[in-house]
Amino acid sequence: MAMNVSEFIIQRIKEWGVSRVFGFPGDGIGEMDGMLGKAEREGKGVEYIRPTHEEICSLMATAHAKFTGEVGVCIATSGPGAFHMLNGLYDAQMDNQPVVAIIGQQGLASLGTFVQQENNLERVFADMACYVQTIVSPDQAQAVIDTAFRTARLRLQPAVVILPHDVQAMKWSEPEPENWVSRSSAVAPSTAITPPLSEIVKMAEIINAGSKVSFIVGHGARGATDEVLEAADLAGAGIITALRGKQVVPSDIPWHTQQLGLLGSKPSLDQMKDCDTLVLLGSNYPYGQFLPATGQARAVQVDLKPEQLGIRYPTELNLWGDVKAVLQALIPLLARAEDRSWQEKIAADMVDWEREMHDQAMIGYDDGVNPRRVFHELNQRLPENAIVTCDAGTTADWYGHHIRLRRGMMGDLSGRLATMLAAMPYATAAKFAFPDRTVVCTIGDGAFQMLGMNELITVKKYLAKWSNKQLIIAIMHNDDLAQVSWEMRTEDGNPLWRGSQDVETMDYAGYAELLGFKGIKVTKDDQAAAAWDEAFAHPGVTVIDAYVSRNVPPLPPHITAEYAINTAKALLKGDPMGLNVIKDSATAMAVEGIGRVKNALHRRDDEK
């Protein structure tokens, strides 16, 4: 049966394994939209999810790729629709995710003639995408679509296909063998790359020679959990996970010290100070100031992104390959470390840290709920196979410090881009991908006001599709863009400027109830546990509106002189929250100091 270019593209993306797309309509993509509707009516289409904004479409496509390992697909119209998708596509680029964006354009004759919504989209997307191409004829469509999917998968980056309005409706037929016409395949490439055995042998020799080995594991090691654990066990290694790698290593591994850096743990920082061998597995950890001193450790890196090898630390060996495939080749060459003192120390330090995190969560502040308490109580109640999303800002601090993902759980956020508002589209994308699982979204009120509130409307629209309708959104309600407020103090020595930082307050629980969802307010610390119990007992959507303090310090595991001096400068310049900042910071630091004394005493008693 004859088909047009739009119908062919729908058929082709299905051949690439696509079952769901995230789109927003417009006249620039009108024929494609019409054929998506026709295919749906005929039972031959893909599931079309239409949220409230094109940026949400691209963020959902990125989240779909992150949670499923598949290619995420988003569709939008020309001009403003295309531009709105940029932020989510940059999220895919910076977190190494395969996404294909199909974007409308005005007709071929309009290109370069300054008509309405005609823009040079190839130039616009060239910085972000690994492949950008306009389809200008039906004979070109097959090769362009196949190249977009193949390149996105291989390079772990977004690809963009631009589809002029008139080309969308042109008749398509199978390309004939002729000059200038490419005939291509919809066969996904293998990414199970393994370097030569000689390189694997070198990696084993470096690890076997170390006595204090540390692994930093990122999201690039997804699917290699068993191999990472076996290799670490043989090497007697400690494990640190990047924030996006949190789900790769179960939290109950004693020598897994969670994250590193400002929102990491002290045991992770201590590992970096003392290790003699560093192994980076699928991680582009960007904060070099927390890595070992130059020359301190012999270092090896394994990654599918060759351009990211050897750029964070002066590595001795760089292996371009898939983490799982490399470790499977490596494990038979690793000698089992007999001395377990390094792992034992790491495990003991982590016990102390968990005790400290508990104590920090139990602090009561007189200017609002302790946000740590909200996350601590959530962590105690996470059901099996739960998915947790987290937004940029202080929610990422509390997520890193307090959430412990067990085997089978997933968690993610916008990593290197660290864009606000991603937690909500991530959560809804997770529900579409895994409709039988409980999803928890943790988000600040500033991010929720950006586009998160809109997405509750999307949730209402599609709720019936999910077999398990349990979705919980926890909002850290402090009327402040809190992370930036703290960065103003600690990075630049400036006081809080309320003109830029204040967030207009509103009743988020009441807003949820307007949409027919459950709303719960938390105004006291001792209400947090009950709120989570009530939310997890409810089989539908719940919004927890937690009125938290805006002044609780996101204390790093080690306070530098610069951090302390800049904070003092900000307070001396007349920070409007200065008194509460001083009180809350002093309380947190006092609990930290007391906790570390207690831990030392516990350690001494254990040694006796």
Side-chain angles (χ1 to χ4, degrees):
M1 182 180 294
M3 65 176 72
N4 66 20
V5 169
S6 294
E7 291 175 295
F8 165 72
I9 290 174
I10 294 165
Q11 174 184 292
R12 198 63 164 185
I13 67 175
K14 289 179 66 177
E15 291 176 33
W16 275 98
V18 175
S19 60
R20 178 180 302 112
V21 299
F22 304 95
F24 203 94
D27 67 325
I29 194 73
E31 178 65 14
M32 181 73 174
D33 289 338
M35 293 304 99
L36 283 164
K38 177 175 180 284
E40 181 184 85
R41 292 190 297 273
E42 295 175 351
K44 302 175 182 177
V46 294
E47 184 180 18
Y48 181 84
I49 305 300
R50 202 223 75 192
T52 59
H53 195 283
E54 291 95 347
E55 183 175 355
I56 299 295
C57 292
S58 54
L59 285 166
M60 291 178 80
T62 300
H64 179 86
K66 288 181 175 181
F67 285 124
T68 66
E70 301 170 356
V71 177
V73 177
C74 50
I75 302 174
T77 190
S78 55
F83 302 149
H84 282 161
M85 292 216 295
L86 277 166
N87 193 53
L89 293 175
Y90 266 108
D91 187 36
Q93 183 217 50
M94 297 179 75
D95 279 351
N96 304 320
Q97 296 303 309
V99 171
V100 172
I102 300 173
I103 296 172
Q105 175 63 290
Q106 299 305 298
L108 287 172
S110 76
L111 299 183
T113 65
F114 313 106
V115 302
Q116 186 180 37
Q117 293 193 350
E118 182 274 321
N119 308 96
N120 190 334
L121 296 179
E122 290 192 1
R123 182 181 296 173
V124 168
F125 289 100
D127 176 66
M128 170 274 298
C130 62
Y131 177 76
V132 185
Q133 186 59 56
T134 301
I135 296 178
V136 298
S137 75
D139 279 345
Q140 186 194 16
Q142 184 185 81
V144 169
I145 290 294
D146 290 343
T147 304
F149 275 87
R150 189 176 298 110
T151 307
R153 276 193 175 276
L154 281 172
R155 299 198 178 179
L156 299 174
Q157 295 281 273
V160 176
V161 175
I162 300 165
L163 196 56
H165 196 165
D166 48 355
V167 176
Q168 296 169 32
M170 290 180 181
K171 183 180 178 181
W172 182 88
S173 60
E174 191 72 37
E176 296 294 332
E178 58 183 288
N179 192 30
W180 298 340
V181 174
S182 294
R183 291 168 292 157
S184 59
S185 71
V187 177
S190 171
T191 57
I193 299 170
T194 307
L197 180 59
S198 59
E199 297 296 289
I200 305 291
V201 170
K202 289 177 186 177
M203 182 178 180
E205 289 172 348
I206 291 170
I207 295 173
N208 288 338
S211 60
K212 296 178 178 179
V213 181
S214 289
F215 289 3
I216 294 183
V217 179
H219 190 270
R222 186 177 186 268
T225 297
D226 291 337
E227 288 79 8
V228 168
L229 296 182
E230 185 175 359
D233 179 59
L234 288 168
I239 302 175
I240 296 166
T241 46
L243 196 59
R244 293 201 54 243
K246 200 176 184 75
Q247 65 183 7
V248 177
V249 180
S251 60
D252 57 0
I253 302 301
W255 40 87
H256 173 201
T257 59
Q258 298 290 316
Q259 283 69 69
L260 174 68
L262 293 176
L263 40 66
S265 71
K266 188 174 184 299
S268 292
L269 186 63
D270 290 344
Q271 277 199 66
M272 292 297 94
K273 288 180 178 179
D274 297 334
C275 72
D276 61 20
T277 308
L278 178 64
V279 182
L280 295 151
L281 299 171
S283 176
N284 182 31
Y285 179 76
Y287 304 107
Q289 68 269 37
F290 298 104
L291 296 177
T294 300
Q296 171 192 320
R298 300 180 72 185
V300 180
Q301 186 172 358
V302 180
D303 210 292
L304 270 175
K305 298 288 291 179
E307 67 273 23
Q308 294 177 4
L309 289 165
I311 62 170
R312 297 296 177 224
Y313 188 80
T315 45
E316 181 177 336
L317 181 66
N318 293 314
L319 280 73
W320 180 19
D322 170 67
V323 171
K324 184 181 181 78
V326 169
L327 290 182
Q328 286 175 339
L330 172 75
I331 284 169
L333 304 176
L334 290 178
R336 181 171 182 80
E338 298 302 323
D339 184 355
R340 294 284 148 167
S341 58
W342 172 244
Q343 271 190 342
E344 290 166 358
K345 179 183 182 301
I346 290 168
D349 289 345
M350 195 58 189
V351 170
D352 292 347
W353 177 255
E354 296 288 37
R355 190 181 295 121
E356 185 174 317
M357 288 299 94
H358 173 272
D359 292 347
Q360 288 286 345
M362 293 300 121
I363 297 173
Y365 297 102
D366 58 12
D367 54 352
V369 174
N370 184 347
R372 291 180 178 272
R373 180 70 174 269
V374 178
F375 278 75
H376 172 79
E377 299 294 354
L378 164 62
N379 187 61
Q380 301 301 306
R381 293 162 174 78
L382 279 175
E384 295 300 316
N385 296 317
I387 303 173
V388 184
T389 70
C390 165
D391 215 84
T394 51
T395 51
D397 292 276
W398 319 137
Y399 172 81
H401 283 167
H402 296 279
I403 297 302
R404 303 291 179 257
L405 299 177
R406 303 187 300 276
R407 187 182 280 268
M409 294 180 178
M410 290 192 285
D412 221 323
L413 75 166
S414 173
R416 197 156 62 93
L417 182 62
T419 182
M420 290 175 66
L421 73 82
M424 272 298 291
Y426 274 38
T428 49
K431 283 300 292 186
F432 283 114
F434 301 99
D436 58 333
R437 297 171 72 162
T438 295
V439 176
V440 179
C441 168
T442 62
I443 190 168
D445 51 0
F448 191 67
Q449 285 192 12
M450 279 183 158
L451 287 173
M453 294 175 67
N454 303 34
E455 280 313 282
L456 278 185
I457 300 170
T458 303
V459 170
K460 183 176 178 66
K461 178 181 179 180
Y462 291 104
L463 186 62
K465 285 180 171 284
W466 302 332
S467 55
N468 172 1
K469 296 174 174 53
Q470 190 167 76
L471 171 64
I472 305 170
I473 301 99
I475 303 166
M476 300 301 105
H477 184 169
N478 57 12
D479 302 330
D480 183 22
L481 300 175
Q483 183 73 16
V484 179
S485 295
W486 278 101
E487 287 168 346
M488 291 176 74
R489 297 176 182 120
T490 62
E491 293 183 8
D492 301 307
N494 287 320
L496 167 75
W497 178 32
R498 299 195 67 164
S500 70
Q501 297 309 107
D502 282 2
V503 174
E504 184 65 23
T505 195
M506 69 165 289
D507 182 357
Y508 299 109
Y511 174 67
E513 290 169 353
L514 282 175
L515 292 169
F517 303 143
K518 178 182 283 292
I520 304 172
K521 292 185 180 180
V522 175
T523 58
K524 297 178 181 178
D525 289 302
D526 59 8
Q527 295 173 345
W532 284 114
D533 287 338
E534 185 177 352
F536 282 120
H538 178 57
V541 179
T542 303
V543 170
I544 296 178
D545 187 359
Y547 288 71
V548 299
S549 168
R550 67 193 293 171
N551 301 307
V552 175
L555 290 176
H558 171 69
I559 297 176
T560 65
E562 180 185 24
Y563 183 104
I565 290 168
N566 284 339
T567 304
K569 285 180 180 178
L571 298 177
L572 290 170
K573 291 176 182 177
D575 193 301
M577 295 291 164
L579 182 58
N580 283 329
V581 167
I582 292 169
K583 287 168 57 181
D584 292 359
S585 296
T587 301
M589 291 177 70
V591 168
E592 177 183 84
I594 292 168
R596 291 184 183 178
V597 170
K598 285 181 178 178
N599 287 335
L601 293 174
H602 278 299
R603 192 75 62 85
R604 186 193 66 184
D605 292 343
D606 290 343
E607 289 172 355
K608 288 181 178 180

